Amino acid sequence: MNYIAGVDIGNSTTEVCIAALENGRLHFLGSASKMTTGTKGTQANVAGILAALKEACEKLNMSAGDISLIRINEAAPVIGDTAMETITETIITESSMIGHNPSTPAGAGQAVGRTISLGHLKQGNSYTPYIVMADKSHSYEEVADTLNRYAQARNVTGMILQADEAVLVENRLERKIPIVDEVRYIDKIPEGKLAALEVAMAGSGVRMLSNPYGIATLLELDAQETKMVTPIAKSLIGKRSAVVIKTPHGNVREQILPAGEIYIEAEKDQTVNIDAGADAIMRALSKAGDIRDIHGQEQTNVGNMLARIKKGMSTVSDENQEEIRITDLLAVDTLAPVVISGALAGETCLEKAVGIAAMVKTRQLPMEKIADELRSQLKTKVKVAGVEAVMASLGAMTTPGTRLPLAILDLGGGSTDAAVMTSKGTVRMVHQAGAGELVTMLIQIELGLHSRNTAEQIKRYPLAKVESLFHMRLENGAIEFFPDAIEPKYFGSVVLLTGKDMIRIDEDIPMEKIVAVRREAKRKVFVTNAVRALQAVAPEQDLKNIPNVVLVGGSAEDFEIPEMLMEKFAEYRIVCGRGNIRRTEGPRNAVATGLVLSYLGDSHVDDE
């Protein structure tokens, strides 16, 4: 009896399928999956292949040396890299605004007055409304005592604190006022300037100061001044508290950053500026036809990013950088939090940005080097066999309920691949940039997360809010109760439900916002790319000519991406769903299974 193994080296995982050949029939025995070691298509992959083979063989009580033939997928190294290019920026000179979300503002309402430091309050007058400023050199008892002492003699309408002590001060005041705290650079606030301050009720955001006409009302601005404060109003949307200071020479503006141009070398060469946004970039790509290479304008953000990608591939593939080509891009419009120039509390503003995923290929197929290393270590036959998309199509055919013509979407970490197999057995395929890694990046950027691992977990798992020690509210609105108390550390937190345990999200972000960002990121990348890929391979480039689509790959296991694609393809009356390779593997193992199946057609070659 001969044992045959199919090995699929993916961007994120290496998958193995083992079958026995007996009397000309294949009997599938088992499979395994391990993280890919190194960049796909390089000799560093060997360690991951050996680990996956070892795991699969141990399940079958055999050794890797018992395998008669190993078939690995034929593919050039393809990597997806991502970059975020911010294309607008809010510039504020003379520190004209404060607006952030301190955890402990106090009071609620709006206040207008002249700025004055706590130490100068006694020099003020009784008829001018004041917004008092106190740095950390003043204790909360001193601040509260001073305001109470001048409660009748001075018209104090609001307060700005450097320390995190707004509640402590407000609790001791005889006359309550709105207080904003945690203003890091309070020493940069000029005195004697007209300022408007607002603290929103718990659970809501500021209303007047996030509206340019609200600012105009409070600070008595004319039409030109109102236009100038629009970027400030935009940056304060969703903030719990805010202060806007009117400075006579202050300058607020939004400016376009020179992110650079993208040059597409193709049937019809295209040039597009990244400032034009993702839609313009994708239109240029669609007009270009077959793409030979993509590069960026020198000494610009996008130019440096694309050059860095090529340099990285050159290092791992041992090819000259001139031989490395970028054959596809996926550009996505998004919003990225950017620190505002001239702000006083480390404030950020959501600015327009473009996320880019790039697909990179070498001119050679180095898979034979991997095969040589496996032959050397395992002392067995190794053959580089079959194009990846063709093998995935063969594997997908083992899903119950499928028929030809059949389309597959391979949803991976770095790329989204599509193939259509006709009733005659011919296959059309396409590899496109943009998949799970770009989704992770968008989630991290838009939510302002410090950890990429947290963004990856948010992508993978549903959310809940622990509202008591005995129940939680799921993201779909359902309530789940527990017979035993939840650990107190989770109380009041947003958590990820992994199936085994809960993971607490440390950042203070509402569950509803996390869900919205996660779902939108998946739509921008996977739904957009799936439609783009299938249109490229569909007969006559018409999706209506595709009767069914099988989703395979790691991202097809996602808890919501397949449903998004099913909803989208329902418009074209396409049957779409997760694959169930060999009735047992779910959407995984399609390429590895296809490599084993293809042996029967290639056996006369393999046996030579």
Side-chain angles (χ1 to χ4, degrees):
M1 183 183 297
N2 292 328
Y3 295 101
I4 300 171
V7 177
D8 170 28
I9 307 166
N11 286 308
S12 301
T13 59
T14 295
E15 298 176 352
V16 168
C17 172
I18 296 179
L21 179 67
E22 188 174 14
N23 299 324
R25 294 177 62 88
L26 287 168
H27 303 279
F28 289 99
L29 303 178
S31 60
S33 176
K34 287 290 187 179
M35 295 296 294
T36 295
T37 51
T39 300
K40 174 181 176 179
T42 62
Q43 284 184 271
N45 300 157
V46 172
I49 295 171
L50 293 174
L53 285 169
K54 180 181 178 182
E55 180 178 306
C57 289
E58 286 177 349
K59 294 177 183 177
L60 302 173
N61 294 319
M62 57 185 287
S63 69
D66 296 329
I67 298 173
S68 307
L69 174 66
I70 297 173
R71 292 165 63 84
I72 63 177
N73 53 304
E74 179 182 294
V78 177
I79 62 172
D81 198 1
T82 53
M84 185 67 67
E85 304 298 344
T86 306
I87 60 178
T88 59
E89 182 182 24
T90 298
I91 304 294
I92 298 174
T93 62
E94 292 205 18
S95 303
S96 302
M97 60 81 67
I98 305 165
H100 61 146
N101 278 317
S103 56
T104 55
Q110 299 139 17
V112 178
R114 295 281 174 180
T115 54
I116 190 171
S117 65
L118 186 70
H120 294 159
L121 186 59
K122 62 182 179 181
Q123 301 169 10
N125 55 62
S126 59
Y127 51 83
T128 300
Y130 291 112
I131 290 179
V132 177
M133 305 178 295
D135 60 27
K136 287 183 178 180
S137 66
H138 303 282
S139 68
Y140 62 87
E141 294 100 335
E142 180 187 354
V143 172
D145 288 344
T146 302
L147 291 186
N148 287 333
R149 188 165 64 251
Y150 287 99
Q152 301 300 321
R154 300 289 183 270
N155 180 16
V156 177
T157 60
M159 186 161 207
I160 304 171
L161 295 175
Q162 187 177 39
D164 180 14
E165 296 175 343
V167 174
L168 295 173
V169 171
E170 201 243 3
N171 287 341
R172 291 163 173 76
L173 293 182
E174 297 172 0
R175 185 163 63 89
K176 304 299 182 184
I177 56 174
I179 304 174
V180 174
D181 61 358
E182 300 179 51
V183 177
R184 189 182 313 162
Y185 305 112
I186 196 169
D187 56 303
K188 294 184 179 180
I189 300 177
E191 285 195 76
K193 305 300 182 183
L194 186 62
L197 180 151
E198 182 177 5
V199 176
M201 297 289 290
S204 60
V206 295
R207 295 173 59 88
M208 289 293 282
L209 296 185
S210 62
N211 172 10
Y213 300 115
I215 298 176
T217 300
L218 295 175
L219 296 182
E220 300 180 353
L221 305 181
D222 59 27
Q224 183 60 31
E225 290 172 322
T226 302
K227 181 179 179 180
M228 291 179 62
V229 299
T230 298
I232 287 180
K234 184 188 76 171
S235 70
L236 297 178
I237 293 173
K239 302 294 192 241
R240 173 78 190 278
S241 64
V243 178
V244 176
I245 302 165
K246 185 179 181 181
T247 56
H249 304 294
N251 181 23
V252 184
R253 68 184 187 275
E254 286 183 304
Q255 69 174 15
I256 302 295
L257 299 179
E261 293 183 332
I262 295 173
Y263 306 122
I264 305 169
E265 297 178 12
E267 291 179 85
K268 300 178 181 178
D269 291 350
Q270 302 287 325
T271 298
V272 60
N273 197 303
I274 198 172
D275 293 340
D279 288 345
I281 295 171
M282 298 312 293
R283 282 196 301 271
L285 283 171
S286 65
K287 293 177 183 176
D290 289 338
I291 297 172
R292 295 187 298 274
D293 193 14
I294 300 172
H295 58 96
Q297 183 179 356
E298 292 185 0
Q299 304 303 317
T300 65
N301 291 340
V302 71
N304 293 339
M305 186 270 284
L306 296 178
R308 185 178 67 249
I309 292 172
K310 290 186 176 184
K311 183 178 180 180
M313 177 55 89
S314 174
T315 301
V316 300
S317 66
D318 294 326
E319 288 194 40
N320 293 328
Q321 191 167 330
E322 293 73 21
E323 298 294 309
I324 308 297
R325 296 171 296 135
I326 294 178
T327 57
D328 187 52
L329 290 179
L330 176 65
V332 179
D333 281 327
T334 185
L335 295 173
V338 178
V339 175
I340 299 172
S341 301
L344 295 175
E347 301 93 342
T348 61
C349 177
L350 288 176
E351 299 289 359
K352 186 179 179 183
V354 174
I356 294 177
M359 175 165 287
V360 189
K361 290 185 179 180
T362 60
R363 296 191 183 275
Q364 300 176 5
L365 297 177
M367 306 301 287
E368 199 59 51
K369 296 179 181 179
I370 298 174
D372 288 339
E373 185 67 23
L374 290 174
R375 292 186 193 104
S376 173
Q377 294 203 33
L378 298 176
K379 310 303 180 186
T380 191
K381 289 184 179 180
V382 182
K383 179 176 176 59
V384 179
V387 178
E388 191 169 348
V390 178
M391 298 301 103
S393 298
L394 288 175
M397 284 296 295
T398 65
T399 296
T402 58
R403 64 182 175 87
L404 295 177
L406 173 74
I408 63 111
L409 277 171
D410 189 349
L411 311 176
S415 63
T416 298
D417 303 336
V420 170
M421 180 178 285
T422 68
S423 55
K424 296 180 180 180
T426 60
V427 178
R428 293 184 64 189
M429 55 196 165
V430 67
H431 302 283
Q432 293 187 163
E437 286 297 316
L438 180 57
V439 172
T440 301
M441 185 189 74
L442 291 175
I443 291 172
Q444 182 180 9
I445 292 293
E446 293 193 22
L447 293 178
L449 302 173
H450 298 294
S451 168
R452 186 175 183 83
N453 184 54
T454 301
E456 181 68 22
Q457 291 171 328
I458 287 173
K459 180 183 71 177
R460 291 175 179 268
Y461 302 118
L463 293 156
K465 177 72 178 288
V466 178
E467 296 184 330
S468 79
L469 294 180
F470 291 92
H471 86 278
M472 64 172 61
R473 176 170 53 89
L474 307 182
E475 66 174 63
N476 63 4
I479 303 296
E480 183 171 346
F481 293 90
F482 297 89
D484 301 315
I486 302 171
E487 289 186 58
K489 68 179 182 179
Y490 295 117
F491 177 71
S493 299
V494 176
V495 296
L496 292 158
L497 305 176
T498 68
K500 296 180 180 179
D501 52 17
M502 295 185 294
I503 301 173
R504 184 177 63 186
I505 296 178
D506 294 328
E507 283 86 354
D508 184 18
I509 307 172
M511 179 174 67
E512 293 75 13
K513 180 177 180 180
I514 298 174
V515 172
V517 168
R518 183 196 71 212
R519 290 184 63 85
E520 186 60 22
K522 290 177 180 179
R523 284 195 185 96
K524 287 177 179 177
V525 175
F526 281 109
V527 177
T528 300
N529 236 7
V531 172
R532 187 167 72 107
L534 285 181
Q535 282 179 333
V537 298
E540 300 177 6
Q541 296 188 323
D542 188 348
L543 291 181
K544 293 180 181 178
N545 293 328
I546 296 177
N548 49 76
V549 174
V550 179
L551 306 177
V552 298
S555 294
E557 293 184 311
D558 187 88
F559 67 97
E560 59 189 350
I561 291 172
E563 284 73 18
M564 290 180 179
L565 294 175
M566 288 172 62
E567 182 181 334
K568 179 64 178 178
F569 291 137
E571 302 173 17
Y572 305 95
R573 298 186 178 180
I574 295 174
V575 178
C576 174
R578 291 181 184 89
N580 190 14
I581 310 304
R582 307 197 318 270
R583 297 175 179 265
T584 60
E585 301 294 322
R588 291 279 194 178
N589 215 252
V591 175
T593 297
L595 285 164
V596 173
L597 286 171
S598 67
Y599 168 78
L600 294 178
D602 293 347
S603 58
H604 65 287
V605 177
D606 292 334
D607 291 338
E608 290 180 358

